[in-house]
């Protein structure tokens, strides 16, 4: 297969070819397509650039090994988002003694308006200041942070989240609801105190 032909393959066709052949050169094409996206996700959970790079390498090593488990139920990019977040959540959970100092959520990346759409709370989400929201994101569990980022930073639908996380749509909605309520509660406390809890 020519280089041009390889680069024009869809993600799914590329994955199929990699699984059949275990060809590391084909995997490099997939790596090139998604390395910066995976790095950015990892950076949000890491204590700096070096740790984010290490996490990114870990994710891709595991992806290469687990590629056959991609069944094509969702888009490959959706599967990879969830895979990356799950790896980062497990990493953070294993390293709970480490304080997460960085978070890559920015005002351009997170749709604050959408998070607030279905929260039964007197706190208006739109009025949350982005800087405070970034700090408050660090006060909820890695799992809660993961599902909020997948939904509001990566804009995955409930159906895509259900497929990527391999849980029912009602379970996705319940997790989202709980995570959002926790975030609002922490935000309310944070703004009352004016500092971390």
């Amino acid at each position: 297969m020519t280089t041009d032909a390889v680069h024009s393959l869809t993600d799914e066709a590329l994955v199929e070819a990699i699984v059949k052949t275990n060809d590391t050169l084909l995997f490099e094409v997939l790596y090139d397509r998604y390395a910066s996206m995976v790095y950015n996700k990892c950076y949000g959970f890491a204590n700096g650039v070096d740790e984010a790079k290490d996490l990114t390498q870990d994710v891709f090593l595991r992806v290469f090994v687990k590629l056959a488990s991609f069944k094509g139920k969702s888009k490959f990019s959706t599967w990879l988002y969830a895979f990356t977040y799950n790896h980062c959540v497990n990493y953070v959970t294993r390293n709970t003694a480490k304080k997460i100092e960085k978070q890559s959520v920015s005002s351009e990346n997170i749709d604050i308006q959408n998070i607030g759409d279905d929260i039964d709370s007197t706190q208006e989400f739109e009025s949350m200041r982005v800087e405070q929201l970034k700090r408050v994101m660090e006060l909820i569990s890695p799992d809660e942070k993961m599902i909020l980022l997948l939904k509001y930073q990566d804009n995955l639908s409930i159906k895509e989240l259900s497929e990527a996380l391999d849980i029912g749509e009602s379970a996705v909605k319940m997790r989202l609801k709980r995570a959002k309520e926790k975030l609002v509660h922490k935000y309310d406390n944070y703004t009352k105190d004016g500092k971390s809890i």
Side-chain angles (χ1 to χ4, degrees):
M1 202 181 284
T2 66
T3 308
D4 285 347
V6 168
H7 284 279
S8 66
L9 288 173
T10 65
D11 292 342
E12 290 71 22
L14 195 53
V15 168
E16 203 177 309
I18 295 164
V19 170
K20 275 185 190 155
T21 63
N22 262 344
D23 188 332
T24 52
L25 292 175
L26 289 177
F27 189 73
E28 274 181 34
V29 175
L30 203 61
Y31 177 89
D32 288 343
R33 284 182 190 177
Y34 288 102
S36 63
M37 181 278 286
V38 170
Y39 172 80
N40 287 334
K41 304 296 170 220
C42 291
Y43 188 72
F45 287 86
N47 286 312
V49 171
D50 291 339
E51 195 172 54
K53 284 179 182 169
D54 290 345
L55 269 172
T56 303
Q57 292 305 319
D58 282 353
V59 166
F60 278 105
L61 282 170
R62 287 165 191 268
V63 164
F64 187 72
V65 171
K66 298 272 191 187
L67 215 46
S69 69
F70 171 66
K71 300 299 182 204
K73 280 197 253 172
S74 61
K75 289 189 303 192
F76 174 74
S77 57
T78 302
W79 181 83
L80 184 58
Y81 283 165
F83 191 98
T84 301
Y85 278 121
N86 276 320
H87 180 74
C88 290
V89 166
N90 291 335
Y91 174 82
V92 170
T93 305
R94 283 195 306 269
N95 296 280
T96 46
K98 290 184 178 180
K99 177 86 180 86
I100 301 173
E101 290 162 0
K102 300 293 271 175
Q103 174 44 252
S104 59
V105 178
S106 72
S107 52
E108 301 86 58
N109 287 347
I110 194 153
D111 192 340
I112 295 171
Q113 176 70 47
N114 275 349
I115 297 181
D117 282 351
D118 52 2
I119 295 177
D120 299 324
S121 167
T122 54
Q123 171 65 47
E124 286 298 314
F125 233 81
E126 304 82 70
S127 66
M128 283 191 176
R129 288 184 47 229
V130 172
E131 271 311 304
Q132 290 172 328
L133 184 60
K134 284 200 285 189
R135 290 193 192 105
V136 174
M137 285 290 268
E138 299 308 332
L139 304 176
I140 61 177
S141 78
D143 268 330
E144 291 162 335
K145 179 174 160 182
M146 173 186 77
I147 200 161
L148 288 174
L149 291 179
L150 281 169
K151 179 79 177 88
Y152 299 107
Q153 192 176 55
D154 298 318
N155 298 313
L156 298 193
S157 67
I158 298 293
K159 186 173 187 295
E160 287 173 323
L161 282 167
S162 168
E163 290 163 351
L165 300 173
D166 205 20
I167 57 175
E169 290 188 20
S170 58
V172 169
K173 288 175 186 170
M174 183 53 69
R175 282 195 197 178
L176 271 172
K177 183 174 185 289
R178 285 187 186 142
K180 287 187 289 189
E181 284 170 352
K182 178 85 70 72
L183 193 64
V184 169
H185 176 72
K186 295 280 188 191
Y187 184 87
D188 286 346
N189 287 343
Y190 183 91
T191 51
K192 273 183 208 135
D193 299 347
K195 61 186 190 311
S196 295
I197 304 135

